[in-house]
Amino acid sequence: MKQGWEAVIGMEIHAQLATATKIFCSCAVETGGEPNSNTCPVCLGLPGALPVLNEHVVELGAKAALALGLQIQETSIFARKNYFYPDLPKGYQISQYDKPFSANGKLRIMTAERDDHGHATEWKPMEIHIQRMHLEEDAGKNVHEGLPDVDKFSYVDLNRAGTPLGEIVTSPDFRTSWQAYDYVNHVRRALQWVGASDADMEKGNLRCEANVSVRRVGETTFNNKVELKNLNSVRFMQKAIEFEIERQIAAHEAGEPVNQETRLWDEKNNQTRVMRSKEDAHDYRYFPEPDLQPLRVTTEFVEKIKARMPEMPDAMRSRFIETYQLGYADASQLVGDKSLAEYFETVARITANPKLAANWILGEFTRELNSSGKPVSQSLTSAEDLAELIVQVESGKINNNQAKEVFAEMFATGKPAAKVIEEKGFEQISDSSAIEKIVDEVIAANDANLAAYRGGNEKLFGFFVGQVMKASQGKANPKVVNDILRAKLR
Ligand code: ZN
Ligand code: MN
């Protein structure tokens, strides 16, 4: 960022809560279904239909709130947010206004400056103030492509109407695009971690908006802000914010106006462009939803959810560093994904060698997952299987290169280590009498070299090792070979 300027960024995230049914009716939450197939009088907004709050939404909302350091409010009120839009059949969205489900969150995240290649340099903690997370229903979708005569007609699909959302709003705490980036990633992982949301931006079940303005360092008032929308990935979001910061600084310095407006990220041209200029601030004419009771959450309910909360990633990372003596980078990578972290703990426990377990998981295992595009849950190789392989390597039954080959086969087929080792004929010969026999044969066949070795040419030791390994087709345990050769050549 240009010297003398700072950015002021606030984030709004809409996260779809991972319930099986909608927030105020029992229609299924599904993606990819026949348009308008998951609808009923409630989510179609037919006159006289009454909403009934889905209890699972409250549970997942509570998990999300706790995972983000928010305080769950004893009483929250659903409110009607009135606006007209074709994908909103009631003419209002049931949301929450002055009494949100949860508020006043303090969230500690880790954030890093990045070099020119986007690589994190030093990670530092940062505290974010989350003003609120309220519960609301999603709208449907207007469809403008892939259907007949889209130039003549607009289509509306209400399958998404009534899907539960948590809207998470921060104070304007961020000063750089990377802080916002690290925050969104933190929130995404936290929501996935506790099972509150799939938080997949590509699928649209996590959507974020950034409010961006800039000011000269030292100023305490805010300049006009721009709202960035339709950000399809965290990386695009970061780029959009970065672009916006530079654009606004340049405008201010040139004495040009920075308009209060909504802008989109134009992926092709790597720039933001105007979506709509801000008309007068919307008046949504909020009022309490008369068809729903105030939502009261008891202390017992919150305590019950708290008791079921898993250890969160940052706590787990600290524990991995302490208990298993892992480095910060390795531990961070492992807790990047809950299933990976659990996989690691199982392997570490069985092998009693956490360092080696981490190496295998962050090395071969991650490589195979990435190249096959599989999540950990779909790996055919269980943590127990990998642990068994590592134990085989450690006991010297097979060497490292063989183990890598064995693992590739295990990952592809789901076979256990012992089976693949046997099939590949990798079983090492550690039986000393068998190796002794081979050593005797090799020595007998190499009189001249034997004499030279005994005459002082110690380099020939390697020659004998090589011959024995060759004669055993690479299966002899190198340590045993060494021991026996040393004794016999003397
Ligand atoms: Zn419905
Ligand atoms: Mn909203």
Side-chain angles (χ1 to χ4, degrees):
M1 197 174 318
K2 196 156 183 203
Q3 277 281 318
W5 289 90
E6 73 175 2
V8 181
I9 307 161
M11 297 297 304
E12 272 177 46
I13 294 177
H14 281 88
Q16 184 184 323
L17 299 173
T19 54
T21 57
K22 296 184 179 180
I23 182 169
F24 300 123
C25 62
S26 53
C27 290
V29 172
E30 266 178 350
T31 46
E34 187 71 10
N36 299 304
S37 56
N38 293 319
T39 54
C40 73
V42 174
C43 55
L44 289 174
L46 300 188
L50 293 172
V52 177
L53 180 60
N54 177 350
E55 192 181 359
H56 197 208
V57 171
V58 183
E59 267 178 51
L60 294 186
K63 282 188 178 174
L66 293 174
L68 298 175
L70 281 148
Q71 289 165 17
I72 298 169
Q73 307 296 293
E74 227 176 88
T75 304
S76 61
I77 308 267
F78 285 99
R80 290 188 182 181
K81 181 180 180 180
N82 297 281
Y83 65 97
F84 175 78
Y85 212 62
D87 62 13
L88 189 74
K90 294 194 293 293
Y92 59 85
Q93 176 194 25
I94 303 181
S95 179
Q96 295 183 313
Y97 184 49
D98 53 353
K99 290 210 178 307
F101 177 71
S102 59
N104 202 19
K106 281 196 190 74
L107 181 67
R108 190 173 174 273
I109 65 166
M110 296 300 286
T111 184
E113 305 273 311
R114 304 300 204 283
D115 63 18
D116 293 342
H117 308 285
H119 295 138
T121 46
E122 200 195 340
W123 290 92
K124 286 185 192 134
M126 175 181 185
E127 189 159 282
I128 306 300
H129 179 237
I130 303 184
Q131 295 174 347
R132 56 193 277 146
M133 182 192 75
H134 64 253
L135 305 175
E136 62 182 29
E137 61 178 344
D138 206 346
K141 265 182 190 162
N142 294 325
V143 184
H144 303 291
E145 52 190 33
L147 288 167
D149 296 317
V150 282
D151 49 336
K152 281 187 233 147
F153 304 113
S154 284
Y155 293 83
V156 179
D157 178 3
L158 295 173
N159 279 351
R160 198 180 69 180
T163 297
L165 300 175
E167 182 181 325
I168 306 154
V169 184
T170 73
S171 293
D173 287 349
F174 307 95
R175 293 290 168 272
T176 70
S177 60
W178 288 113
Q179 289 172 352
Y181 175 90
D182 291 328
Y183 164 76
V184 174
N185 280 330
H186 184 110
V187 170
R188 262 176 62 197
R189 187 182 50 175
L191 296 178
Q192 288 167 350
W193 199 271
V194 299
S197 173
D198 296 337
D200 185 336
M201 281 183 87
E202 272 172 47
K203 293 199 180 120
N205 52 34
L206 188 119
R207 307 193 286 270
C208 54
E209 292 162 36
N211 291 302
V212 183
S213 65
V214 298
R215 64 185 175 192
R216 290 185 195 273
V217 172
E219 275 179 348
T220 48
T221 53
F222 299 112
N223 288 315
N224 275 351
K225 67 183 178 194
V226 159
E227 199 177 320
L228 296 173
K229 277 198 173 189
N230 292 22
L231 306 162
N232 302 327
S233 78
V234 197
R235 187 70 169 117
F236 287 155
M237 178 202 79
Q238 184 272 328
K239 285 185 176 174
I241 295 174
E242 199 60 38
F243 179 88
E244 218 17 63
I245 292 171
E246 300 308 323
R247 187 188 72 83
Q248 291 182 22
I249 292 174
H252 283 298
E253 288 195 331
E256 288 160 6
V258 171
N259 297 322
Q260 190 119 336
E261 60 197 8
T262 302
R263 296 175 78 95
L264 302 175
W265 178 241
D266 178 346
E267 200 182 312
K268 266 195 216 111
N269 300 305
N270 265 300
Q271 61 181 36
T272 63
R273 61 181 164 80
V274 182
M275 177 186 173
R276 57 168 177 258
S277 54
K278 203 93 177 176
E279 321 83 57
D280 302 317
H282 277 293
D283 179 3
Y284 291 116
R285 295 177 296 123
Y286 280 100
F287 65 87
E289 166 61 64
D291 292 337
L292 287 165
Q293 296 283 331
L295 170 59
R296 288 189 216 288
V297 176
T298 62
T299 321
E300 288 86 351
F301 177 84
V302 176
E303 288 307 317
K304 215 173 75 194
I305 301 282
K306 265 188 193 159
R308 295 206 310 251
M309 289 286 281
E311 180 184 30
M312 293 304 285
D314 286 359
M316 196 180 248
R317 177 178 51 217
S318 304
R319 185 167 60 77
F320 282 4
I321 292 171
E322 259 172 52
T323 317
Y324 300 125
Q325 272 84 49
L326 298 183
Y328 180 86
D330 283 359
S332 292
Q333 234 183 308
L334 287 169
V335 302
D337 175 339
K338 193 182 182 194
S339 334
L340 193 69
E342 286 167 352
Y343 196 99
F344 161 74
E345 281 230 270
T346 308
V347 178
R349 216 174 284 138
I350 300 175
T351 58
N353 191 336
K355 190 72 208 158
L356 198 54
N359 287 346
W360 269 90
I361 289 164
L362 297 175
E364 298 304 305
F365 185 54
T366 303
R367 191 170 14 255
E368 293 287 357
L369 287 176
N370 289 344
S371 66
S372 63
K374 280 183 184 171
V376 177
S377 61
Q378 275 172 33
S379 161
L380 297 177
T381 305
S382 68
E384 288 78 6
D385 289 341
L386 176 57
E388 190 206 323
L389 176 68
I390 294 175
V391 169
Q392 304 278 25
V393 182
E394 276 205 293
S395 71
K397 255 194 161 171
I398 55 173
N399 67 38
N400 238 330
N401 286 334
Q402 291 170 329
K404 284 182 184 169
E405 202 180 320
V406 170
F407 181 69
E409 179 74 10
M410 289 168 67
F411 191 89
T413 62
K415 289 178 190 165
K419 180 118 179 74
V420 179
I421 291 170
E422 191 198 312
E423 279 173 5
K424 291 198 176 276
F426 280 166
E427 201 94 40
Q428 277 193 359
I429 306 170
S430 298
D431 169 20
S432 42
S433 63
I435 294 176
E436 223 177 306
K437 199 170 151 251
I438 300 172
V439 169
D440 288 341
E441 283 165 13
V442 166
I443 291 176
N446 291 283
D447 283 346
N449 280 329
L450 178 65
Y453 178 80
R454 287 190 172 148
N457 186 352
E458 286 183 15
K459 281 185 194 149
L460 282 170
F461 188 76
F463 164 80
F464 284 104
V465 174
Q467 292 300 305
V468 174
M469 293 307 288
K470 199 170 144 196
S472 74
Q473 291 164 318
K475 291 181 192 171
N477 180 325
K479 193 181 171 307
V480 181
V481 171
N482 268 292
D483 292 348
I484 293 175
L485 265 176
R486 254 183 230 295
K488 297 234 172 199
L489 291 177
R490 207 176 282 142

